[in-house]
Amino acid sequence: MAPLALGTILAHPDDETFGVGGTLIRYASEGIAVHSLCLTRGEQGAAGDPDALLVSREQVGPTRAAELEEAGRRMGLTSVTVLGYPDGALATAPADAVARDIVAWIRRTRPDVVITWGPDGGYGHPDHIATGERALRAIELARADVHRELGAPVAVRRCYRFVIAADALDKMPLAYPEFEAYVRTLAVRPERWTRDRLGAQLDVRPFIERKVHAMRAHRTQARDIAAWERGLQLDPDFFRDEAFIRAFPDPSGPLETDLFAALRPSAAP
């Protein structure tokens, strides 16, 4: 039997690490193959500490892609793939082209479980929202497709969408004092993902130290690293969980604590 595989389809080179790093470390440590697909190189993002820039604006994209490679190594990922869609403009990128590229990646990595962004993009980020929409479309195409070389459907068996749980959202001002003012400027506000609305919630406290180590690979994102570390100093349980809604199967099913529980060999048929 082929080993189980997990794939992430996210927007920017630090989304995997800051967002779902604990989940990825957990499953990589269990021997599950973990593949990361990042749709942009994050070239519109920070270039280091505002008082000590690490790279020129022209080098931000290549540098952030390299940072993701290193973060992936620290998390134990099997593969990292970075596409070149424009950072900050995924919503206007050709949807069919993006979906085709995602389908090609699904054919190559064959994930049993996929994680992508939730409908509110975590905190209203338009690139995150567009990524989630494109990912769901690509998964639908891949599930309906037949890979001619293999002669079998390329089927993602379960899909989860990363969200910021309500209790974690309430802690955001610990790390970002300006967060509440920022949210008021958003066209799409973060939703209140209370426990009863979630499909899965994973306790990642055993992996926080490794997650922070991987986050530090994203050296250009010094401000966000400092904010995270500030949050952890003020509350050791800052982001103790990583939360998801379930796209399929059965979005309304019971809350899970293991994204692979139904797929493991010991699971009941």
Side-chain angles (χ1 to χ4, degrees), residues 12-175:
H12 305 111
D14 56 357
D15 291 352
E16 286 86 348
T17 319
F18 286 74
V20 293
T23 297
L24 304 190
I25 292 165
R26 168 185 169 171
Y27 288 117
S29 68
E30 292 180 3
I32 289 172
V34 181
H35 303 278
S36 163
L37 177 65
C38 183
L39 299 190
T40 81
R41 298 189 302 168
E43 66 273 11
Q44 297 300 320
D49 189 292
D51 298 323
L53 298 183
L54 291 176
V55 294
S56 66
R57 175 50 54 187
E58 293 74 21
Q59 288 301 309
V60 171
T63 300
R64 294 193 69 190
E67 289 173 345
L68 176 55
E69 287 279 355
E70 173 59 19
R73 185 191 67 78
R74 296 183 187 189
M75 290 188 288
L77 304 194
T78 302
S79 74
V80 171
T81 302
V82 180
L83 302 182
Y85 286 99
D87 184 15
L90 275 175
T92 58
D96 288 346
V98 177
R100 284 196 300 271
D101 283 342
I102 296 173
V103 169
W105 174 83
I106 290 172
R107 287 176 171 176
R108 184 170 70 253
T109 59
R110 302 183 67 80
D112 299 283
V113 174
V114 163
I115 293 170
T116 190
W117 273 110
D120 61 352
Y123 50 90
H125 196 303
D127 276 358
H128 296 174
I129 294 169
T131 295
E133 293 170 350
R134 305 297 188 270
L136 291 181
R137 174 58 178 156
I139 291 168
E140 179 184 342
L141 292 172
R143 283 166 60 85
D145 192 18
V146 173
H147 194 313
R148 293 176 182 174
E149 294 180 5
L150 298 177
V154 181
V156 174
R157 299 159 71 185
R158 303 181 75 82
C159 178
Y160 297 85
R161 304 187 72 180
F162 172 54
V163 297
I164 300 177
D167 56 349
L169 190 70
D170 292 339
K171 293 180 181 181
M172 286 292 285
L174 292 176

Side-chain angles (χ1 to χ4, degrees), residues 191-209:
E191 293 193 35
R192 296 288 301 174
W193 297 105
T194 51
R195 185 177 175 87
D196 60 294
R197 300 183 66 197
L198 299 177
Q201 192 166 25
L202 278 59
D203 182 350
V204 298
R205 285 175 295 179
F207 312 105
I208 287 295
E209 186 174 341

